[in-house]
Amino acid sequence: MLFDTHAHYYAEQFDPDRDEVLSALPAANVGLVLCPGCDLESSRQSIALAEQYPFLYAAAGVHPEDALGLPDDWLEQVEAMTRHPKVKAVGEIGLDYYWQEVPRDLQKEVFRAQLALAQRLDMPVIVHDREAHGDSLRIVLEYPALRGVFHCFSGSPEMAAELLKRGWYLGFDGPITYKNAKRAPEVAAVTPLDRIVVETDSPYLTPVPFRGKRNDSRYLPYVIGKLAEWKGVTPEEMTDITWENGKRLFRLEE
């Protein structure tokens, strides 16, 4: 069975046919999906979807792009959502220096607040790191008891090694199938099989040969296939390995 550890099924791109897509996943061998929020509202939407679909779980958090204009009690709202039995992580949180609109100091403040919350609650985190590798690594290392996944990892093999040494997982998505994915094979080479999780980031980051179309969890085998090729295992083995890794990371062991 496939475990898509990062998909945004509350996104408006799924408004026309959300139930049709989600209801079709089990027949497509997708057994589990983790849906992370990006702000307070989408975190609530993720929880609502998790209540509706038995195979879907949620994460609650504030993405760096959404750090402006938060209410005074935003962190208390995130904490309250983490008490829901189907919320399995704090996320999607992190730093994004591509978008200039949110000051970096504010991004760091919101990131640290949620990392501290996750450490106190003993929950894994889902980290978004875009063009902020140095600061993202430095900040997570301030919380040595914390574990989680760097979603759609785009850092260097050296950064990967530092995270892996400390028990973190790395998420691999559709971009590893792109022609310009030069760093991804190097990162995969240093990543042990038991620390790899697979993601779609649906509706975004659709793998080749469907790049440009809306993504969903049914395209996950294209990510699996590329990783299997790089790691010298069969796609079936990689499917089983990443299923177990995702369950371990988000504490969904049967």
Side-chain angles (χ1 to χ4, degrees), residues 16-198:
D17 59 350
R18 182 174 291 105
D19 181 65
E20 182 182 331
V21 172
L22 286 169
S23 297
L25 295 185
N29 202 40
V30 179
L32 289 168
V33 176
L34 196 291
C35 185
C38 285
D39 56 17
L40 298 173
E41 178 57 28
S42 59
S43 295
R44 291 189 190 95
Q45 291 172 324
S46 296
I47 294 169
L49 287 170
E51 290 174 339
Q52 189 176 352
Y53 298 93
F55 59 86
L56 196 150
Y57 290 83
V62 175
H63 188 285
E65 287 179 47
D66 297 284
L68 282 172
L70 291 170
D72 290 344
D73 67 342
W74 71 271
L75 191 62
E76 287 82 359
Q77 291 191 48
V78 172
E79 180 171 1
M81 284 186 268
T82 65
R83 299 191 191 107
H84 191 286
K86 293 204 78 175
V87 172
K88 297 300 179 181
V90 176
E92 175 179 353
I93 66 175
L95 301 175
D96 192 320
Y97 291 171
Y98 177 81
W99 299 105
Q100 306 283 325
E101 291 85 351
V102 184
R104 293 184 180 187
D105 285 348
L106 176 60
Q107 291 190 37
K108 292 175 186 175
E109 178 186 332
V110 170
F111 187 27
R112 282 190 171 100
Q114 293 178 99
L115 291 172
L117 173 67
Q119 184 166 271
R120 176 164 59 81
L121 298 176
D122 188 29
M123 293 187 81
V125 295
I126 300 166
V127 174
H128 171 101
D129 163 27
R130 188 177 187 190
E131 299 185 12
H133 304 318
D135 283 349
S136 295
L137 179 61
R138 278 190 292 274
I139 289 173
V140 298
L141 295 185
E142 294 172 10
Y143 302 86
L146 200 57
R147 297 294 180 270
V149 57
F150 265 62
H151 147 65
C152 195
F153 184 78
S154 59
S156 66
E158 292 78 16
M159 178 182 177
E162 285 296 316
L163 290 165
L164 293 163
K165 185 167 63 178
R166 290 165 171 82
W168 284 72
Y169 291 72
L170 303 181
F172 292 85
D173 305 59
I176 71 169
T177 68
Y178 301 168
K179 287 182 179 178
N180 62 353
K182 295 181 173 61
R183 188 180 270 180
E186 299 173 2
V187 171
V190 303
T191 307
L193 284 170
D194 65 356
R195 297 295 181 74
I196 294 172
V197 294
V198 288

Side-chain angles (χ1 to χ4, degrees), residues 1-5 25 29-34 54-57 217 220 243 246-247 252 254:
M1 297 289 278
L2 297 159
F3 188 171
D4 184 353
T5 60
L25 295 185
N29 202 40
V30 179
L32 289 168
V33 176
L34 196 291
F55 59 86
L56 196 150
Y57 290 83
S217 303
L220 203 54
W243 170 265
K247 289 202 301 179
L252 296 174
E254 293 164 352

Side-chain angles (χ1 to χ4, degrees), residues 196-235:
I196 294 172
V197 294
V198 288
E199 315 169 326
T200 59
D201 201 25
S202 299
Y204 315 109
L205 304 183
T206 312
V208 171
F210 301 101
R211 190 176 183 183
K213 296 183 179 181
R214 183 187 71 180
N215 202 6
D216 72 50
S217 303
R218 290 171 289 188
Y219 293 144
L220 203 54
Y222 294 93
V223 177
I224 292 271
K226 182 59 70 173
L227 285 169
E229 175 189 325
W230 289 344
K231 298 300 283 185
V233 298
T234 66

